[in-house]
Amino acid sequence: MSVSKCTRLSGALVKELLDSVDSVLFDCDGVIWRGDQAVPGAPQVINLLKEHGKKVFFVTNNSSKTRKMYADKMSKLGFNVNEEEVFGTAYCLAMYLRTVCKLQGKVYLIGGNAMRQELEAVGIQQTGVGPDHISGSQADWANVSLDPEVKAVVVGFDEHFSYMKLNRALQYLTQQGCLFVGTNRDTRLPLEGGKAVPGTGCLLQAVETAAQHQAQTVGKPNHFMYDCVASQYGVERDRCLMVGDRLDTDILLGSNCGLKTLLTLTGVSTVADAEAHQKSGCPERQGMVPDYYVESIADLLPALQG
């Protein structure tokens, strides 16, 4: 398929693209749903892709839900999905610690219950979930009690993030050999109406600044998320399509892994954003230029129904 980058996907090109892939990876928020509402036509697209024999997977940087929680939400919205097809950062981080790091010991977890559940599901115990209130003086903080079994500090989304959690993470990370892993670097979580709240990336940067040490991350655009899917399901790079709404995570993941990429305009990024990257002349920014774009993934419906 020899077309220029950032091409509008329409007409015969849709079928040509779908015929060239066996697997499709979808981001979730801004792609197949917005908030608690499915993007119109999205359930039909997912279900028809499966009927056409395509493998479909869901890759999300949101660490606040388990795979089962995502699958339950999708089922309620009309998607034909099972939890094994969902790859969130809570699950991928647990797999990273178990399979790549081969962690022996507990983790100090800056994160929520979903991360705790995914870690425990692979046999990793944690400490840290919930509020950690401050007390005492600075000397007390520097000598805060630590669990001797903790061998890694893990950072995901944590609504209870606090100075004491930041301090405790620093004290663990001053210990020799303590691993440091984050779910993702998204700094803002976009909401309806143009609003946004701070994302996990803000928390991770705070810990990195305190520790003077950079974390390894497992979420998009890091290739580990794709590796997780590919190793379990035999996905072939040159027969796989990544569909997302963010150039700096979804499309860059696809580029980093040698996948075909499709930007949908129902979420964060715009065609103007993509064209600015394309015209920049900067090699790093070229990875954020999608092969194709659509107004919505519902634009794939005619080719699937035909």
Side-chain angles (χ1 to χ4, degrees):
M1 298 180 68
S2 56
V3 293
S4 62
K5 297 271 277 185
C6 208
T7 297
R8 186 185 184 97
L9 189 64
S10 60
L13 199 55
V14 181
K15 184 176 186 304
E16 194 178 336
L17 174 62
L18 292 177
D19 285 348
S20 74
V21 299
D22 303 317
S23 306
V24 188
L25 308 184
F26 285 94
D27 176 46
C28 295
D29 198 21
V31 178
I32 63 171
W33 69 59
R34 284 183 294 207
D36 292 320
Q37 301 291 319
V39 167
Q44 295 95 309
V45 168
I46 300 301
N47 299 344
L48 282 167
L49 281 169
K50 290 187 166 190
E51 286 179 25
H52 282 71
K54 307 295 183 189
K55 297 177 186 174
V56 177
F57 306 99
F58 305 91
V59 288
T60 171
N61 274 359
N62 188 329
S63 65
S64 66
K65 290 183 174 67
T66 62
R67 304 174 93 185
K68 185 178 187 309
M69 290 161 74
Y70 272 114
D72 289 347
K73 175 175 180 173
M74 291 184 208
S75 296
K76 286 174 186 167
L77 293 176
F79 296 93
N80 174 22
V81 174
N82 64 66
E83 64 181 280
E84 287 74 27
E85 295 165 332
V86 180
F87 290 78
T89 47
Y91 169 76
C92 289
L93 188 140
M95 291 301 292
Y96 180 80
L97 290 173
R98 194 186 77 176
T99 62
V100 178
C101 302
K102 301 192 180 343
L103 180 71
Q104 299 291 320
K106 291 184 183 176
V107 304
Y108 175 61
L109 175 58
I110 294 177
N113 279 315
M115 292 185 69
R116 176 183 60 78
Q117 290 172 41
E118 294 288 19
L119 286 166
E120 289 178 350
V122 299
I124 297 172
Q125 298 303 305
Q126 61 73 44
T127 180
V129 170
D132 190 356
H133 301 297
I134 201 157
S135 63
S137 66
Q138 290 183 350
D140 297 319
W141 307 342
N143 292 286
V144 70
S145 64
L146 301 177
D147 186 330
E149 294 181 49
V150 166
K151 303 299 180 189
V153 169
V154 166
V155 181
F157 184 75
D158 189 344
E159 62 193 31
H160 297 296
F161 187 73
S162 64
Y163 182 85
M164 204 59 198
K165 289 198 172 195
L166 178 59
N167 172 63
R168 209 177 288 273
L170 166 59
Q171 304 311 325
Y172 278 119
L173 288 166
T174 58
Q175 298 181 335
Q176 191 170 3
C178 186
L179 299 172
F180 185 17
V181 187
T183 54
N184 64 287
R185 297 189 178 276
D186 299 21
T187 53
R188 287 157 65 96
L189 301 177
L191 305 175
E192 290 293 301
K195 298 280 190 181
V197 294
T200 301
C202 299
L203 315 187
L204 184 59
Q205 282 183 36
V207 179
E208 288 178 327
T209 303
Q212 299 179 358
H213 176 50
Q214 192 168 46
Q216 174 64 47
T217 54
V218 299
K220 299 172 291 184
N222 188 294
H223 63 82
F224 182 75
M225 208 157 206
Y226 169 78
D227 295 343
C228 230
V229 180
S231 64
Q232 292 183 35
Y233 288 93
V235 174
E236 296 178 30
R237 292 173 192 271
D238 59 350
R239 300 280 302 174
C240 183
L241 172 67
M242 176 70 220
V243 184
D245 71 309
R246 292 181 70 137
L247 300 174
D248 60 342
T249 55
D250 305 319
I251 303 306
L252 189 54
L253 170 75
S255 298
N256 286 344
C257 297
L259 318 179
K260 299 173 177 69
T261 54
L262 173 63
L263 173 71
T264 176
L265 304 178
T266 45
V268 173
S269 298
T270 66
V271 174
D273 295 333
E275 289 174 343
H277 289 312
Q278 191 171 27
K279 293 170 185 170
S280 70
C282 172
E284 288 83 24
R285 291 177 67 182
Q286 297 308 308
M288 292 186 274
V289 182
D291 295 319
Y292 309 97
Y293 71 89
V294 287
E295 290 296 325
S296 159
I297 64 164
D299 293 358
L300 304 180
L301 269 177
L304 290 166
Q305 292 169 331

